[in-house]
Amino acid sequence: MYPSYLNLSKGELNKKIEKLFKILENCQICPRKCHVNRLKRERGYCKLGDLPIVSAFHPHFGEESVLVDRHGSGTIFFTSCNLSCVYCQNYDISQLRIGEEISFERLAEIMIGLQNQGCHNINLVTPTSQIPQIVKALSLAIEKGLKLPLVYNTNAYDSVEVLKLLDDVIDIYMPDAKYSDNKIALKYSNAKGYFEIMKKALKEMHRQVGDLRFDENGIALRGLLVRHLVLPNNLTGSEKIFEFIAKEISRDTFLNVMNQYYPHYQAFKYPELSRRITDKEYQAVLKSAKKYGRKI
Ligand code: SF4
C-alpha cells in the first residue's frame, strides 16, 4: 500500500509514537540534546513544549515542481526551528516563533483539509522538533482517511536515532544540505558539528527511501530530494557537499541547487552575507554539481 504508513499496523504506529514521546521526557529529539522534560512543558533551545505549534498551512505552489504539479504541495509550517540562521527568510516563524498552539486533533484536521483541497502530499516544514506531535496527529488523520505521502522538509540537523523511528512513516525526505564547514555553520546558524550531523542524517534518510521516484505524471512518490541554498562568497562550501553526496549517498540523488538567497533578518550585520549571489557564483556551483554527476 502507498503511502508507506498505511502498511503499519495501529500497534506498530503506536509503538513509534510511544518511543518518540518518551524521548521528549528528556528531550533528545534533535542533536542539541537539551535534556528538558517537554511533557512537563520545560523549554529547551527550540522553546517548544508538548503540543503542536503551527504558523501557517496551505497548498503551496512555490515548492519543487515534482511536489506541486496542478494542485500544490499541502504545506504545514511548524513554528520554531532548532537552527538560528541569521539570514532566515522565515525568521518570524522560526525565531520570533509566531504561531498557534493547537491540539493533535486539529493538526489531523489540517492534514485532511489539505488532502480535500487536492494537494499531492503533506509537506512538513521544519518538522524536526515537533515530530512526536506530528506522528501522533498522523495516527488520527489515518483514521479520518489520510492517504497522502509525507514530505519531511528539514534543515538536516536531525538525530539518526529519531529518524530511525520514522522508517515507514515518511516517504519523501527533503533535507537542506547547508554547509560543509562547521565553523561557518556555527557562526551563521549556531549549528555545532553541522557537517557530520547532516551527513549521518542524509545517509539514514537515503537508507530508508532511496533515490527519488515519480509517478507517470512526474510527481514525486518516494525518495530523497536534497536542497542546497547557495550563499555569497562560497560560504556553503558547496563542492564538498556534492562530493559527499556522490561518493556516500548516490550519484542519482535528486538535487535542487537554489539561487534565491536574499539577505533577510540579521544578514545585513554580516557584510559577506549582505548581498544576493552573482550569476558567476551560481554558475560555478552548478559546474561543480555537474562534475559530481548531479541531476539538477
Ligand atoms: S527538540 Fe528542542 S528541546 Fe529537544 S533537543 Fe532539540 S532544541 Fe532541544
Side-chain angles (χ1 to χ4, degrees):
M1 272 193 289
Y2 179 79
S4 308
Y5 56 73
L6 293 180
N7 297 312
L8 292 171
S9 69
K10 208 171 168 176
E12 286 169 324
L13 191 57
N14 283 342
K15 211 170 251 176
K16 285 178 185 285
I17 295 168
E18 235 172 71
K19 285 183 182 167
L20 286 166
F21 272 82
K22 187 82 192 149
I23 299 172
L24 282 182
E25 270 180 18
N26 180 28
C27 196
Q28 300 176 63
I29 280 291
C30 86
R32 292 205 182 270
K33 298 190 176 180
C34 297
H35 295 287
V36 294
N37 187 343
R38 285 179 52 189
L39 300 185
K40 291 194 172 158
R41 300 179 79 89
E42 292 170 10
R43 308 288 158 147
Y45 186 88
C46 64
K47 307 266 190 302
L48 294 164
D50 57 340
L51 285 174
I53 306 188
V54 166
S55 297
F57 54 90
H58 51 76
H60 194 349
F61 293 88
E63 297 286 57
E64 281 73 358
S65 60
V66 295
L67 298 176
V68 168
D69 200 52
R70 287 177 56 206
H71 303 290
S73 178
T75 306
I76 306 175
F77 292 88
F78 288 92
T79 310
S80 189
C81 183
N82 62 343
L83 296 189
S84 305
C85 304
V86 296
Y87 51 84
C88 182
Q89 64 171 359
N90 291 329
Y91 68 91
D92 49 341
I93 295 174
S94 61
Q95 292 175 60
L96 304 183
R97 300 186 181 87
I98 296 170
E100 191 188 339
E101 189 172 86
I102 58 174
S103 65
F104 301 110
E105 290 75 14
R106 177 68 189 126
L107 182 52
E109 280 166 14
I110 289 171
M111 293 176 183
I112 293 292
L114 291 166
Q115 176 167 283
N116 291 343
Q117 290 178 73
C119 294
H120 301 285
N121 43 64
I122 301 294
N123 184 348
L124 309 164
V125 181
T126 325
T128 303
S129 302
Q130 302 202 46
I131 199 64
Q133 293 86 341
I134 292 168
V135 180
K136 186 161 177 171
L138 170 71
S139 72
L140 302 175
I142 292 170
E143 285 169 15
K144 294 174 196 284
L146 188 75
K147 47 181 192 289
L148 293 181
L150 300 185
V151 181
Y152 190 88
N153 183 343
T154 174
N155 56 38
Y157 205 55
D158 284 282
S159 143
V160 169
E161 291 69 36
V162 172
L163 288 174
K164 281 184 177 160
L165 293 170
L166 305 182
D167 202 358
D168 295 325
V169 173
I170 302 293
D171 274 294
I172 301 167
Y173 281 104
M174 186 159 67
D176 188 4
K178 296 176 80 67
Y179 308 98
S180 65
D181 183 323
N182 285 337
K183 277 192 200 137
I184 289 177
L186 188 63
K187 181 172 180 187
Y188 301 123
S189 295
N190 196 16
K192 196 174 169 197
Y194 178 84
F195 191 40
E196 285 69 36
I197 285 170
M198 178 271 278
K199 285 194 290 186
K200 282 186 199 156
L202 262 64
K203 280 185 184 177
E204 173 58 21
M205 292 172 188
H206 188 260
R207 183 196 69 76
Q208 290 179 24
V209 297
D211 293 332
L212 196 62
R213 275 98 71 209
F214 310 90
D215 72 5
E216 59 285 2
N217 299 314
I219 302 172
L221 284 175
R222 182 173 166 85
L224 179 71
L225 190 171
V226 179
R227 283 174 160 175
H228 178 65
L229 176 68
V230 182
L231 296 178
N233 299 300
N234 193 26
L235 290 170
T236 29
S238 306
E239 180 148 349
K240 228 170 142 184
I241 291 174
F242 302 148
E243 186 182 6
F244 155 71
I245 293 171
K247 290 188 176 161
E248 298 186 51
I249 302 277
S250 156
R251 290 184 80 86
D252 289 326
T253 303
F254 190 104
L255 177 68
N256 182 8
V257 180
M258 302 186 294
N259 64 353
Q260 67 259 43
Y261 173 76
Y262 184 86
H264 293 278
Y265 195 36
Q266 298 177 333
F268 283 106
K269 292 184 184 167
Y270 301 84
E272 65 280 21
L273 274 177
S274 59
R275 62 163 174 86
R276 303 192 72 153
I277 61 165
T278 63
D279 189 51
K280 201 173 159 196
E281 283 174 315
Y282 185 56
Q283 293 307 325
V285 174
L286 286 184
K287 199 172 160 195
S288 102
K290 282 177 189 158
K291 184 172 135 190
Y292 287 99
R294 304 275 63 82
K295 284 182 186 169
I296 296 168

